[in-house]
Amino acid sequence: MHDGKIEIELHGTLDNIVERDWDSCACPEAEDSSAPQDPFITYRFLKALEDSGSVGPGTGWQPRYLSARANGEIIAVAPMFLKSHSQGEYIFDQNWAHAYERAGGRYYPKLQIAVPFTPVAGRRLLVRRGFEGIGESALVQGAVQVAVDNEVSSLHITFCAQNEADAGVAMGLMRRTGQQYCWENRGYVTFEDFLASLSSRKRKNLRKERAQAQAFGGDIVWLRGDDIKPHHWDAMWRFYQDTGARKWGTPYLTRAFFDIAHDKLRDDILLIFAMRDGLPVAGAMNMIGRDCLFGRYWGCIEDHPCLHFELCYYQAIDWAIAQKLNRVEAGAQGEHKLARGYLPVQTQSLHWIRDPGFAEAISNYLDAERAAVSEEIEVMTAWGPFRKETREEQD
């Protein structure tokens, strides 16, 4: 029991919060040292971002971690950041910023409760068991008060869980929906079982793509934990830089992040490498959750037909089936994922806008956007690669 008084604190660094206190809110299911449900909200992952300089001064992601205490005990935390831009979020609000600034307002800085550079849905209001309702309410009220006190334009809670979105709406926040792509394991024992659920044409195409990819002239390997060596991170950094330079201009993660990942995160990571003559020519990095594999980064130093699909999608499915995981999440965007068994699913975010007139305009926009997203997901699911009988079972 607590006396009803909740104390809210802001922290410019995770050094001010004990790891055990953070993880008791973020991943209590992992107290027995097993895999967390969501590896991205663990203390060790967020600390790696901070210690590597991937967030912090000069990045536009200035930590403002939020904690709530009852009777001196931390009961809830949230990964909050003061943002000076909208990069690395994958919930796009640049049009909002342009509209607000054209009207004479100042959109940046804003507050963002999120996992930086990570379009993965999960809990964002991290509450210790037994304090769910009061903890979520304290974090939201605390974050809004910080926004008001500092006269920032807005607060955003992105890629949050469904129940958090429902609770946030009840607290007066605006809901935004989006979509990403997810593969579901429907009791498959082998990749062939998955193929059997597809239409004949799609099944033939996937087999053709896998054969093309695997003819690149080498072997494909899975690396996890102690199988990952420092030189593998040298290769992954080259791959990440190549893709990051083409997608974002400047990669979000620093080289130091990969060194810290080797020391602190390698049990949470699966690397899938295409090796030829003992050297990696392409690779994909995945994070491992309790029942889900999360595809994150990909890159190559040579171009080979369909190798991207093989390493990022098909090998991920193979590994998930072998480990009896329920899902593979392939991240934001990319309609090409649909033909490869990854169906669209809805994502949620919450938004608070300080200016009442602008908030009303955003609310009207979000109403129309939610309807459009729902319709698009319905249409795209119907166009998915599964046999008619399989789609009916899924429905």
Side-chain angles (χ1 to χ4, degrees):
M1 296 291 292
H2 64 89
D3 59 13
K5 183 180 179 182
I6 304 294
E7 297 178 352
I8 299 294
E9 294 179 86
L10 276 180
H11 308 270
T13 172
L14 277 176
D15 290 334
N16 296 338
I17 304 175
V18 176
E19 181 172 2
R20 182 179 62 256
D21 288 340
W22 182 281
D23 283 347
S24 69
C25 299
C27 51
E29 74 282 355
E31 288 177 349
D32 59 358
S33 298
S34 60
Q37 196 74 29
D38 181 349
F40 301 103
I41 56 175
T42 61
Y43 187 96
R44 59 185 177 269
F45 182 84
L46 294 166
K47 190 73 161 58
L49 291 178
E50 185 181 330
D51 287 350
S52 67
S54 300
V55 301
T59 68
W61 290 84
Q62 195 62 37
R64 293 292 185 269
Y65 307 109
L66 207 59
S67 68
R69 290 180 184 269
N71 297 333
E73 177 186 48
I74 287 184
I75 64 164
V77 294
M80 189 165 75
F81 300 85
L82 187 67
K83 291 296 306 296
S84 60
H85 54 63
S86 292
Q87 297 166 16
E89 296 171 8
Y90 301 94
I91 299 292
F92 302 108
D93 65 349
Q94 287 90 338
N95 288 342
W96 302 4
H98 295 156
Y100 195 50
E101 288 166 1
R102 280 198 302 270
R106 187 166 70 102
Y107 193 72
Y108 304 107
K110 62 178 183 174
L111 286 173
Q112 190 99 6
I113 294 178
V115 178
F117 330 125
T118 306
V120 170
R123 294 169 58 229
R124 296 294 177 263
L125 307 173
L126 312 177
V127 180
R128 190 188 296 267
R129 286 174 176 168
F131 294 91
E132 285 80 2
I134 193 168
E136 288 181 353
S137 177
L139 291 173
V140 169
Q141 291 181 51
V144 169
Q145 192 61 53
V146 171
V148 170
D149 291 346
N150 291 275
E151 297 185 345
V152 302
S153 70
S154 51
L155 165 70
H156 311 266
I157 306 174
T158 48
F159 289 102
C160 59
Q162 178 72 52
N163 66 302
E164 292 175 333
D166 294 341
V169 169
M171 286 185 263
L173 303 183
M174 296 181 288
R175 182 199 303 263
R176 188 178 192 185
T177 59
Q179 69 172 47
Q180 59 183 188
Y181 293 87
C182 178
W183 175 87
E184 290 192 26
N185 186 352
R186 301 187 176 276
Y188 307 128
V189 177
T190 66
F191 194 91
E192 283 297 316
D193 293 338
F194 161 60
L195 287 180
S197 69
L198 305 181
S199 69
S200 174
R201 184 169 61 86
K202 295 297 186 183
R203 184 164 60 246
K204 181 179 179 181
N205 186 61
L206 262 65
R207 285 193 173 123
K208 179 181 177 182
E209 286 187 345
R210 297 207 77 178
Q212 284 182 308
Q214 292 174 12
F216 76 97
D219 300 311
I220 294 173
V221 298
W222 296 340
L223 302 167
R224 181 188 183 185
D226 290 341
D227 292 334
I228 301 176
K229 306 302 180 186
H231 68 270
H232 293 130
W233 293 114
D234 293 334
M236 194 64 232
W237 171 246
R238 288 197 302 273
F239 301 149
Y240 174 71
Q241 276 191 305
D242 173 69
T243 302
R246 284 186 281 108
K247 279 192 174 182
W248 316 302
T250 302
Y252 296 131
L253 300 177
T254 65
R255 177 64 181 86
F257 174 86
F258 294 88
D259 292 332
I260 296 171
H262 182 73
D263 290 336
K264 304 290 187 182
L265 301 172
R266 66 181 185 270
D267 288 339
D268 298 324
I269 289 173
L270 171 70
L271 297 181
I272 301 174
F273 275 9
M275 308 284 294
R276 193 178 63 245
D277 299 326
L279 297 175
V281 298
M285 174 178 160
N286 305 266
M287 296 290 290
I288 304 166
R290 177 164 289 212
D291 61 5
C292 182
L293 185 67
F294 302 93
R296 295 305 302 121
Y297 303 113
W298 138 270
C300 62
I301 57 174
E302 298 177 1
D303 290 323
H304 295 277
C306 301
L307 195 56
H308 171 247
F309 301 146
E310 177 66 20
L311 297 192
C312 293
Y313 307 140
Y314 304 143
Q315 288 286 329
I317 290 173
D318 266 334
W319 195 85
I321 291 173
Q323 299 297 318
K324 297 181 171 58
L325 299 185
N326 294 334
R327 306 186 324 280
V328 178
E329 291 194 9
Q333 304 172 298
E335 293 182 6
H336 60 276
K337 297 167 185 170
L338 185 68
R340 290 157 185 94
Y342 291 75
L343 295 181
V345 294
Q346 197 173 90
T347 62
Q348 309 284 330
S349 63
L350 292 165
H351 306 269
W352 174 88
I353 306 290
R354 185 161 58 94
D355 183 282
F358 190 50
E360 183 179 4
I362 293 295
S363 179
N364 293 335
Y365 169 82
L366 293 179
D367 287 344
E369 185 185 50
R370 282 195 300 273
V373 168
S374 295
E375 182 178 352
E376 183 175 5
I377 288 177
E378 184 177 346
V379 169
M380 292 182 71
T381 300
W383 278 94
F386 294 93
R387 291 185 291 112
K388 183 175 184 296
E389 312 90 271
T390 307
R391 289 200 298 271
E392 290 172 349
E393 290 170 9
Q394 291 170 345
D395 293 340

